[in-house]
Amino acid sequence: MKTLRTRFIEIVSYFFILLFCYASISKIMDFENFQIQIAQSPLLSAFSNVISYGILVIELAVCILLIFEKTRKIGLYFSFVLMVLFTVYIYMILNYSEFIPCSCGGILEKMDWKTHLIFNIATVIVAAFTIVLSPDPKRQEIFKSVSLLFVLSVVSCSAIILMYRQSEFMIKKENNFTRRFLQHPITEEKRSNLQINSYYFAGISKDSVYLGNYTAPFLLTSTDLNFKAIKEQKIIPDRYDFDFKRAQLKVNAPYYYLYDGSIPVIYQGILGNHQANTLSLGQAYFSQLLNIGKDAFAISTYFKDSEKQTLGILNPLQKNPLDLKPEILGKTSDGIFDTDGQLHFDPITQTAVYVHYYKNQLLVMDDHLTIKAKYKTIDTISIPQIEVSTLSDGKKKMSKPPLKVNKKAFVYAGLLFIESNLIGKFEDRDRWKNSFIIDVYSTTKQGYIGSFYLPNPKKEKKMQFHIADQHLYVLTGNEIIKYRFAQNITQHFIAGEAENLNQE
């Protein structure tokens, strides 16, 4: 029996030697990328330099401890602690992080995060069982081992939680600005369970809400404005010989558009008709596309000549279809991440708006992308707080999670609605955690109107919203919700927007 127990301990030790050697060597061979991936983690960004080197040193040291019989038990304890740390880290990433970062090297690259969590839990159990089994099976020795394992588990969990809180503070630190909250700005009217959470807003007409589906990109779903009846329309492009990567649908009644910016193709169809015909092919790659007319689009794309992100106009039916305007976004550092943002178009005012993600700047333009005004959101981040690294192959990556200022946005009838990522002065932190904060700006008067809380009782990490007529439509989780705006918001809509809608 003693020989069997000894062999089992040796086999487990050799397993952890193989595991940690493989993991550490994989990281060393691509150390530059490993460091960047660690820095991108929402839990580890504050300690990225120490951790990137520390993990390698500890993993290799544990391998050495496990080789020799005299130090094997210490090595098993360290193996247990490492696997507990990795397990708690992955659990928190999956359940509490706003985003799931790239893998951090080693075996994790071969597994998805949930599979790796299961693998880690199994290795924690194996390590604990081996440690308890390693001394003579006396009650006193077993009790000591179990007690020590419990203490090490608590300390490991506490360490990860402390790192998480510290990183969250750095990424979402308070800023010295004060919001003016509007009184009772929205009232819920309708709510419907869509059963799945992969829908996105494709558009809204005077009688229907149109939804695309990330998991079924060629399916256009529509519902009436009260969510009583749902219809599905399968879209059939006139040619399929493309490797679609992120096909999306947009509706501008009576037309719909199917596009994939990673492939330079745009299809156009008529609502109710399954057939979508090629409108543009090979004219432009793009990351964002906005329909600003029947056959005209505003795009965001990478302009190779200036090596930066650029806005432009695409008119597929014209002789010279592409008109890029590289001077609009400027360049403060890398020209890609520092200018990153969302492009929106207000069909009522025929105004385009560009909202920067990482700084408090708005650009208001006409339908030819000529700048009419530049002004700031109410927060204080005027310079993007980002760090960009250039890898040996020339590719650029974020070196650590950036401070995101503005999240989702939508412009309608002269008002710009922005989901803010930052908490202001004198705001209730608990209320902030259980709500989405929407800041409202006038694109015509170029000023701040006020803010309001959008309820998020289920603490969903993401939401989408769309505005039409007097209503705010929200997608969060698997629900679609319809709110009516109060007069303190609708009074700022420019005159005549209802008449424009009724003419559609």
Side-chain angles (χ1 to χ4, degrees):
M1 191 68 183
K2 182 178 179 180
T3 303
L4 182 61
R5 184 172 67 247
T6 302
R7 287 185 177 178
F8 176 78
I9 294 170
E10 288 179 350
I11 291 172
V12 172
S13 299
Y14 293 148
F15 165 75
F16 280 116
I17 290 172
L18 179 63
L19 175 67
F20 294 135
C21 275
Y22 174 79
S24 57
I25 291 172
S26 297
K27 297 180 182 83
I28 291 171
M29 291 179 66
D30 194 12
F31 186 70
E32 180 185 32
N33 197 39
F34 168 63
Q35 274 192 312
I36 291 176
Q37 290 168 345
I38 284 289
Q40 288 177 333
S41 167
L43 271 65
L44 306 177
S45 59
F47 317 97
S48 57
N49 285 335
V50 174
I51 287 178
S52 60
Y53 289 100
I55 287 178
L56 293 176
V57 172
I58 293 173
E59 286 181 340
L60 292 173
V62 170
C63 291
I64 295 173
L65 291 173
L66 290 170
I67 291 174
F68 303 102
E69 188 174 352
K70 290 184 178 180
T71 58
R72 186 164 292 160
K73 188 174 181 180
I74 298 175
L76 287 170
Y77 273 111
F78 273 105
S79 300
F80 173 81
V81 170
L82 278 177
M83 298 315 298
V84 169
L85 288 170
F86 295 155
T87 302
V88 176
Y89 169 74
I90 293 174
Y91 176 82
M92 294 188 70
I93 284 289
L94 290 173
N95 292 278
Y96 297 99
S97 173
E98 288 191 350
F99 65 95
I100 296 178
C102 299
S103 62
C104 295
I107 290 179
L108 185 58
E109 290 184 339
K110 312 301 179 184
M111 302 180 183
D112 61 39
W113 285 81
K114 290 184 179 179
T115 304
H116 201 75
L117 177 63
I118 296 171
F119 173 82
N120 279 14
I121 292 172
T123 57
V124 168
I125 295 172
V126 170
F129 180 74
T130 307
I131 290 170
V132 173
L133 191 67
S134 58
D136 292 331
K138 295 179 181 179
R139 181 176 298 180
Q140 185 177 3
E141 293 296 326
I142 292 175
F143 178 77
K144 287 182 180 179
S145 297
V146 172
S147 300
L148 183 54
L149 288 173
F150 176 76
V151 171
L152 291 173
S153 299
V154 172
V155 172
S156 301
C157 292
S158 300
I160 291 292
I161 292 171
L162 286 173
M163 284 191 289
Y164 170 72
R165 291 175 65 88
Q166 179 65 20
S167 293
E168 283 288 283
F169 176 77
M170 292 181 65
I171 294 172
K172 293 183 176 179
K173 56 188 176 182
E174 291 190 16
N175 289 271
N176 188 27
F177 64 91
T178 305
R179 285 188 170 91
R180 179 174 64 253
F181 284 94
L182 303 171
Q183 296 297 312
H184 310 294
I186 55 174
T187 303
E188 182 179 328
E189 287 191 345
K190 300 289 181 181
R191 180 186 293 256
S192 179
N193 191 330
L194 297 172
Q195 305 302 324
I196 59 175
N197 62 359
S198 56
Y199 285 116
Y200 63 89
F201 283 114
I204 295 181
S205 66
K206 63 181 180 180
D207 56 8
S208 299
V209 178
Y210 295 92
L211 305 173
N213 191 330
Y214 291 115
T215 58
F218 299 103
L219 193 66
L220 180 62
T221 302
S222 64
T223 178
D224 61 276
L225 300 182
N226 292 320
F227 315 141
K228 291 182 178 180
I230 293 181
K231 300 178 182 179
E232 292 184 342
Q233 175 182 341
K234 186 176 181 181
I235 306 302
I236 304 175
D238 58 0
R239 54 183 299 180
Y240 270 98
D241 54 334
F242 300 112
D243 183 16
F244 292 104
K245 297 179 180 178
R246 48 185 178 88
Q248 295 184 57
L249 287 162
K250 290 295 181 184
V251 171
N252 186 5
Y255 303 99
Y256 65 82
Y257 299 89
L258 172 66
Y259 60 90
D260 186 335
S262 63
I263 300 168
V265 61
I266 303 171
Y267 301 95
Q268 182 189 62
I270 298 176
L271 291 171
N273 190 331
H274 297 285
Q275 185 68 43
N277 298 314
T278 302
L279 178 64
S280 171
L281 178 62
Q283 294 176 326
Y285 292 89
F286 48 86
S287 57
Q288 296 183 72
L289 179 79
L290 291 176
N291 182 218
I292 59 176
K294 179 185 175 183
D295 300 319
F297 304 88
I299 65 169
S300 173
T301 186
Y302 175 74
F303 187 37
K304 189 174 181 180
D305 291 353
S306 59
E307 296 185 339
K308 67 178 184 179
Q309 192 168 198
T310 300
L311 303 183
I313 298 290
L314 177 63
N315 288 284
L317 303 182
Q318 292 188 4
K319 184 177 181 180
N320 298 311
L322 188 59
D323 179 18
L324 295 180
K325 302 176 182 292
E327 72 283 354
I328 293 177
L329 296 182
K331 182 177 180 179
T332 58
S333 57
D334 64 288
I336 301 174
F337 297 109
D338 64 328
T339 59
D340 202 8
Q342 298 178 64
L343 180 61
H344 299 274
F345 184 73
D346 185 346
I348 306 302
T349 63
Q350 294 292 296
T351 299
V353 177
Y354 192 82
V355 181
H356 284 272
Y357 282 132
Y358 307 121
K359 62 181 179 180
N360 60 352
Q361 187 182 69
L362 305 174
L363 302 178
V364 180
M365 300 163 280
D366 61 20
D367 55 356
H368 298 290
L369 299 188
T370 300
I371 294 180
K372 298 168 62 177
K374 292 183 181 181
Y375 63 100
K376 296 180 179 180
T377 55
I378 59 174
D379 55 83
T380 59
I381 309 300
S382 58
I383 299 175
Q385 297 185 17
I386 60 176
E387 291 185 19
V388 179
S389 297
T390 303
L391 303 182
S392 55
D393 60 0
K395 293 182 180 179
K396 294 182 179 181
K397 278 191 174 184
M398 291 277 199
S399 301
K400 61 175 59 177
L403 176 62
K404 198 168 190 177
V405 178
N406 302 308
K407 297 172 76 174
K408 295 287 189 300
F410 196 87
V411 61
Y412 178 80
L415 291 187
L416 174 64
F417 298 78
I418 299 177
E419 179 196 355
S420 177
N421 194 46
L422 303 177
I423 187 170
K425 289 180 65 177
F426 315 119
E427 292 180 18
D428 186 326
R429 184 168 291 276
D430 290 333
R431 181 79 181 273
W432 182 69
K433 289 180 180 178
N434 294 300
S435 306
F436 300 106
I437 290 185
I438 307 296
D439 296 327
V440 186
Y441 302 86
S442 170
T443 59
T444 54
K445 298 180 181 179
Q446 300 169 22
Y448 171 62
I449 300 296
S451 303
F452 62 89
Y453 289 110
L454 192 59
N456 182 26
K458 296 182 180 180
K459 296 186 178 181
E460 296 287 349
K461 296 178 181 178
K462 296 180 180 180
M463 72 96 177
Q464 302 173 52
F465 62 97
H466 201 290
I467 297 164
D469 196 10
Q470 310 287 315
H471 294 92
L472 167 68
Y473 297 84
V474 175
L475 279 174
T476 177
N478 57 6
E479 286 189 314
I480 182 170
I481 309 167
K482 180 182 180 181
Y483 296 93
R484 172 174 284 277
F485 284 123
Q487 186 181 5
N488 53 9
I489 290 182
T490 59
Q491 67 183 353
H492 297 286
F493 284 148
I494 65 168
E497 55 90 10
E499 287 79 3
N500 289 337
L501 281 174
N502 293 331
Q503 292 174 7
E504 291 183 1

